[in-house]
Amino acid sequence: MGSFHLTKMSLRNLFKKPATKMYPVIAPTFTPMTKGHVVNDIEVCILCGICEKKCPSLAITVDKPAETWIIDPFACIQCYSCIRTCPKDCLTMLPQYTGASTEKCSRSITKPELSPEDKAAQEIAAREKEARIAAAKAAKAAKDELANKE
Ligand code: SF4
Ligand code: SF4
């Protein structure tokens, strides 16, 4: 009886479709909900470091002086915390797995070099911001001084 069942099971398995896919010959199907890998639109990223602080698995490193954003895809647990907290919405979960690799390595993205025009515009914006802050501080100091006199 036992050997009859075993033979039946073996024959059934011989002729039924395989349970696994011939990856990578047959590509897997990804849905919008597939937890793939995190990508950063580095041109929008301001290197504020919030994603690094919010990542529970310490997968992200933000190097502000070097203008570099680094992710260790092997440490990422696809929790979406960085994506939810990024103030610039520049992080996305791509519904595709990280490509196969023979080495355990991090992905590093560096902010592209600005054109001279963009650099000049950025410096002007920074100077204007500093001037606005200084004016606001001066106005507050004057207001406080007036209040103290009264
Ligand atoms: S939180 Fe967003 S803007 Fe800030 S460093 Fe991370 S990716 Fe860049
Ligand atoms: S998805 Fe989660 S684990 Fe992955 S980098 Fe973002 S915060 Fe870290």
Side-chain angles (χ1 to χ4, degrees):
M1 190 72 169
S3 61
F4 171 72
H5 272 296
L6 200 63
T7 313
K8 199 172 137 191
M9 200 168 32
S10 304
L11 285 174
R12 202 170 43 222
N13 281 333
L14 262 180
F15 296 106
K16 84 173 184 191
K17 272 172 48 180
T20 52
K21 283 185 182 161
M22 285 282 288
Y23 182 82
V25 179
I26 298 173
T29 316
F30 297 112
T31 71
M33 293 303 288
T34 303
K35 289 185 171 186
H37 64 279
V38 179
V39 288
N40 187 357
D41 182 354
I42 197 68
E43 299 213 6
V44 179
C45 174
I46 52 170
L47 299 167
C48 65
I50 292 175
C51 53
E52 180 180 347
K53 290 192 186 84
K54 293 287 178 183
C55 177
S57 57
L58 310 177
I60 297 175
T61 310
V62 178
D63 187 343
K64 198 156 178 131
E67 301 208 310
T68 305
W69 184 91
I70 305 155
I71 187 162
D72 177 357
F74 295 93
C76 175
I77 53 168
Q78 288 96 5
C79 70
Y80 282 81
S81 175
C82 56
I83 295 165
R84 275 196 304 267
T85 51
C86 173
K88 300 299 283 181
D89 285 334
C90 59
L91 294 176
T92 323
M93 182 72 75
L94 267 199
Q96 285 161 13
Y97 304 133
T98 311
S101 167
T102 52
E103 280 173 24
K104 210 173 167 189
C105 56
S106 298
R107 257 185 305 121
S108 170
I109 325 171
T110 305
K111 261 186 134 20
E113 188 75 20
L114 287 178
S115 67
E117 295 81 22
D118 287 344
K119 240 183 207 168
Q122 207 177 53
E123 279 166 15
I124 291 169
R127 274 202 297 274
E128 282 174 356
K129 190 177 169 188
E130 272 173 28
R132 276 200 308 276
I133 293 170
K137 278 183 182 167
K140 188 176 180 306
K143 199 175 156 191
D144 289 347
E145 204 180 306
L146 202 69
N148 287 340
K149 277 185 191 163
E150 285 171 358

